[in-house]
Amino acid sequence: MNASLTPGQTKVDSVKLLIDGQWVESKTTEWRDVVNPATQQVLARVPFATAEEVDAAIAAGQRAFKTWRDTPIGARMRIMLKLQALIREHSKRIAVTLSAEQGKTIADAEGDIFRGLEVVEHACSIGTLQMGEFAENVAGGVDTYTLRQPIGVCAGITPFNFPAMIPLWMFPMAIVCGNTFVLKPSEQDPLSTMMLVELALEAGVPAGVLNVVHGGKQVVDALCTHTDIKAISFVGSTEVGTHVYNLAGQHGKRVQSMMGAKNHAVVLPDANRTQTLNALVGAGFGAAGQRCMATSVAVLVGKAREWLPELKALAAKLKVNAGSEPGTDVGPLISKRAKERVLGLIESGIKEGATLELDGRDVQVPGYEQGNFVGPTLFSGVTTDMQIYTQEIFGPVLVVLEVDTLDEAIALVNRNPFGNGTGLFTQSGAAARKFQSEIDVGQVGINIPIPVPVPFFSFTGSRGSKLGDLGPYGKQVVQFYTQTKTVTARWFDDDSVNDGVNTTISLR
């Protein structure tokens, strides 16, 4: 596979476009380096596709749709079955590339792939997922039924933090529903995404059904405004997600836009202490905090305040190193720019009066001195007007707030503009039921730190974390990628009684 890396690789390859089943060398003059964030080694060059190349990819999807939409549902399903088998076969090799380009530990990279694989497995159930409804004899001799039909060429724009999982949230469900797809991976780490695309072709996805273009804002805007694109799926920052939602919406597209987050973990003093502290540290600092569902705020309620020293001690034990190194807990941030941003927010927390309990700014990683490393960083004494609370840091920084009651904690979480995920740690069923009922957040975990639902449910999100009504997988995404056609039918025998002319709107 041309996107994979080999040990000791020195040659820098260019990442290809995929247009109408062909790997295409872009004619662009604008390129970006794909850089290993632990070493600054240039792994590949990614093109920013030209307007003509984007148009060609969409045109290929439009041509392919004419036949793909009529492909039997069993044939589409069998391609997904083959794809999931291929992903399983190649997951460890893909994980090595994913770790090199994104910085995750190998284990976390494998988890990234597996959570996407679960969606591919769910796509294999399309035979039941895409079923319509039928009601017999809704009026005299009249039946009504629905068809769930594909909508056309769809597009997906994916972020850097999950280069396997989120593309697999998008294109498998879109194409198994009978649509064609144009994927724009993150320009920061497209190599593992391209390996998955190659597996999709190997699984039997026909030419033009799946196309790939690379680039930045110009390519995004071209997808959002093109006449032949019917739906846009986006995961990424709030700023870009809002732009995509507004621009695509203005041009008549269906849009699902999953955006920023500030995820709270509310800790009651009756919670299992060991399990809760382990969960906070793992969810707060895993993947260097670069998860949209990362726990970035711990709300300690009542006597749970006393747990802060143990939380600090546990976080301090985490090993910071390159993701490829055994035993690593926290890898590098994706880029030097990301590191500078995180360091700036840490500095703002100090200036605004928060207590820096654990400082990860000067972490040293022997052998990887050029890496974009920030160690686990912990703040206490945080208030809701500080930048480290109001902004999504997207780094290994956990901030601690303290309240006296569960009611105060619920009010605090609900005042935050984001609504991606939250968790409650308790052994009280009554407290858990109250929390899940009153909290205004899309994904709720009870003693679960990162409550991302399995694919037969739908990833939801709410408020400032989501624009659009339908989530990116589960039953909701079948609705997103299909249109419902309702058929009302009556059939007559040759000797049927003539009812005469009916000038009302009723059926009889």
Side-chain angles (χ1 to χ4, degrees):
M1 295 187 178
N2 62 45
S4 61
L5 302 178
T6 56
Q9 175 177 326
T10 57
K11 182 176 181 290
V12 176
D13 293 327
S14 58
V15 182
K16 305 295 191 295
L17 310 175
L18 176 63
I19 300 175
D20 203 13
Q22 300 297 314
W23 297 107
V24 177
E25 185 82 43
S26 177
K27 293 182 171 60
T28 188
T29 58
E30 184 178 359
W31 296 79
R32 175 176 179 148
D33 289 340
V34 179
V35 177
N36 183 321
T39 65
Q40 307 310 314
Q41 176 193 2
V42 176
L43 305 176
R45 297 191 315 149
V46 61
F48 280 39
T50 66
E52 293 77 16
E53 289 165 344
V54 175
D55 287 344
I58 297 170
Q62 185 74 348
R63 289 191 300 272
F65 178 65
K66 295 175 183 177
T67 53
W68 179 245
R69 63 173 298 167
D70 295 325
T71 300
I73 201 166
R76 289 185 253 138
M77 177 187 69
R78 283 187 284 274
I79 290 173
M80 291 299 113
L81 286 167
K82 181 68 178 297
L83 177 59
Q84 67 86 24
L86 288 170
I87 292 172
R88 285 185 180 278
E89 179 184 348
H90 294 279
S91 61
K92 290 188 180 299
R93 185 167 58 84
I94 298 171
V96 171
T97 295
L98 197 159
S99 175
E101 65 175 342
Q102 203 278 340
K104 292 185 180 187
T105 67
I106 297 295
D108 197 26
E110 290 177 350
D112 185 334
I113 297 164
F114 179 76
R115 291 310 302 265
L117 174 63
E118 289 182 315
V119 177
V120 180
E121 291 172 339
H122 194 230
C124 297
S125 301
I126 192 61
T128 52
L129 293 174
Q130 206 169 341
M131 280 183 177
E133 299 172 310
F134 185 94
E136 184 181 28
N137 221 35
V138 296
V142 177
D143 304 325
T144 298
Y145 52 95
T146 60
L147 310 174
R148 302 207 67 91
Q149 297 183 323
I151 57 178
V153 187
C154 304
I157 301 162
T158 64
F160 75 84
N161 57 331
F162 286 97
M165 181 183 77
I166 294 179
L168 291 175
W169 280 10
M170 294 183 185
F171 76 79
M173 289 304 302
I175 66 178
V176 81
C177 286
N179 303 288
T180 57
F181 204 79
V182 179
L183 176 66
K184 195 212 83 68
S186 170
E187 65 277 15
Q188 297 189 76
D189 50 5
L191 302 181
S192 48
T193 306
M194 298 305 289
M195 295 173 75
L196 293 166
V197 168
E198 292 181 17
L199 293 181
L201 298 186
E202 185 178 342
V205 173
V209 171
L210 176 59
N211 304 275
V212 182
V213 294
H214 304 283
K217 183 178 184 299
Q218 288 184 329
V219 172
V220 169
D221 288 357
L223 295 173
C224 290
T225 58
H226 198 286
T227 304
D228 290 334
I229 294 289
K230 303 303 180 185
I232 296 277
S233 184
F234 171 87
V235 178
S237 71
T238 297
E239 179 183 5
V240 179
T242 302
H243 170 74
V244 166
Y245 181 80
N246 291 333
L247 183 63
Q250 290 165 8
H251 286 80
K253 319 299 181 193
R254 295 184 181 187
V255 190
Q256 52 180 207
S257 186
M258 314 306 293
M259 307 184 297
K262 199 71 178 180
N263 304 313
H264 300 69
V266 176
V267 181
L268 299 186
D270 71 337
N272 183 301
R273 195 161 180 155
T274 300
Q275 294 294 338
T276 299
L277 290 170
N278 285 336
L280 292 178
V281 171
F285 303 116
Q290 298 176 121
R291 296 172 177 148
C292 63
M293 289 289 288
T295 297
S296 53
V297 183
V299 183
L300 305 183
V301 180
K303 290 188 177 181
R305 293 178 171 93
E306 299 170 4
W307 299 11
L308 182 60
E310 292 171 75
L311 180 63
K312 173 182 175 180
L314 192 59
K317 293 178 180 178
L318 296 179
K319 181 180 179 181
V320 181
N321 208 335
S324 58
E325 295 291 342
T328 298
D329 297 306
V330 180
L333 295 169
I334 186 66
S335 66
K336 289 185 176 296
R337 181 178 178 184
K339 178 180 178 179
E340 290 169 2
R341 181 179 179 277
V342 170
L343 294 178
L345 284 166
I346 294 172
E347 186 63 30
S348 77
I350 297 169
K351 289 180 178 178
E352 291 180 340
T355 301
L356 185 59
E357 300 279 353
L358 185 64
D359 188 353
R361 290 175 294 175
D362 295 322
V363 64
Q364 300 298 316
V365 181
Y368 296 96
E369 288 78 11
Q370 300 303 312
N372 309 321
F373 295 101
V374 176
T377 300
L378 181 67
F379 278 103
S380 65
V382 177
T383 57
T384 57
D385 58 343
M386 294 178 178
Q387 287 188 69
I388 53 173
Y389 178 77
T390 60
Q391 294 193 32
E392 184 177 27
I393 299 174
F394 230 59
V397 181
L398 180 64
V399 303
V400 176
L401 285 77
E402 300 176 1
V403 296
D404 294 325
T405 67
L406 176 60
D407 284 327
E408 290 179 70
I410 291 172
L412 187 154
V413 176
N414 285 345
R415 282 195 301 270
N416 190 281
F418 292 110
N420 214 28
T422 189
L424 175 71
F425 291 85
T426 183
Q427 296 192 72
S428 166
R433 192 172 190 280
K434 174 183 175 67
F435 185 82
Q436 71 186 32
S437 175
E438 297 181 11
I439 209 72
D440 186 11
V441 174
Q443 271 100 204
V444 179
I446 306 298
N447 298 313
I448 298 289
I450 302 179
V452 178
V454 292
F456 17 98
F457 291 88
S458 295
F459 191 97
T460 50
S462 66
R463 296 186 285 139
S465 293
K466 178 186 178 184
L467 292 171
D469 295 330
L470 299 170
Y473 59 73
K475 293 179 181 178
Q476 289 185 15
V477 84
V478 177
Q479 293 178 265
F480 181 75
Y481 284 128
T482 60
Q483 56 192 353
T484 301
K485 182 179 291 182
T486 304
V487 180
T488 302
R490 171 185 279 165
W491 296 94
F492 298 100
D493 295 328
D494 289 341
D495 58 353
S496 298
V497 175
N498 187 346
D499 293 333
V501 176
N502 179 9
T503 60
T504 72
I505 64 170
S506 64
L507 291 171
R508 65 187 184 192

